[in-house]
Amino acid sequence: MNNLIDIQNQIAILQKQAEEIRTRELAQTIQDILGKMDAYGITVEDLDRARGRTRKSTAAAKPGNPAPAKYRGPNGETWSGRGLMPRWLAALVAQGQSKEAFAI
């Protein structure tokens, strides 16, 4: 009779075999895909467009006009007042100074 330990050992052996087969087939599949991409002149951007995605450049992702600075620190640091309070200002406020004392 098979007991639990024997079955678990068989499962581990089969999982290892499956992973080896997957790795071998994956490498072959990637080579097939790259060959077809070269043959047809397909690029990664073509694949993204086919999936309905487009890659945006980092310049396009940034907003055109950043918010103007509202606060200036003693060492020239600035903060627009948006988002989390920067560490330099949080440290000064923790020392007892007011945030408004650094308003521009």
Side-chain angles (χ1 to χ4, degrees):
M1 281 268 153
N2 289 336
N3 62 26
L4 180 61
I5 294 173
D6 290 338
I7 292 173
Q8 287 176 336
N9 288 336
Q10 289 175 354
I11 290 171
I13 291 169
L14 291 173
Q15 285 178 333
K16 184 177 179 184
Q17 289 175 351
E19 184 60 31
E20 290 170 356
I21 292 169
R22 181 190 177 284
T23 301
R24 190 172 48 244
E25 289 180 359
L26 179 66
Q28 182 181 4
T29 302
I30 289 172
Q31 291 304 315
D32 290 344
I33 291 169
L34 290 174
K36 288 179 181 180
M37 287 177 71
D38 286 340
Y40 290 96
I42 298 171
T43 64
V44 174
E45 288 78 19
D46 295 332
L47 297 176
D48 284 341
R49 271 195 302 277
R51 293 181 91 180
R53 299 188 295 191
T54 58
R55 293 179 180 228
K56 295 182 180 179
S57 67
T58 56
K62 295 181 181 177
N65 294 327
K70 291 184 180 181
Y71 301 93
R72 185 175 315 279
N75 298 322
E77 311 96 324
T78 59
W79 179 46
S80 67
R82 295 183 182 176
L84 293 175
M85 185 182 299
R87 290 183 184 147
W88 63 266
L89 186 54
L92 293 169
V93 170
Q95 292 173 2
Q97 299 185 32
S98 74
K99 181 173 70 170
E100 288 72 28
F102 299 98
I104 299 176

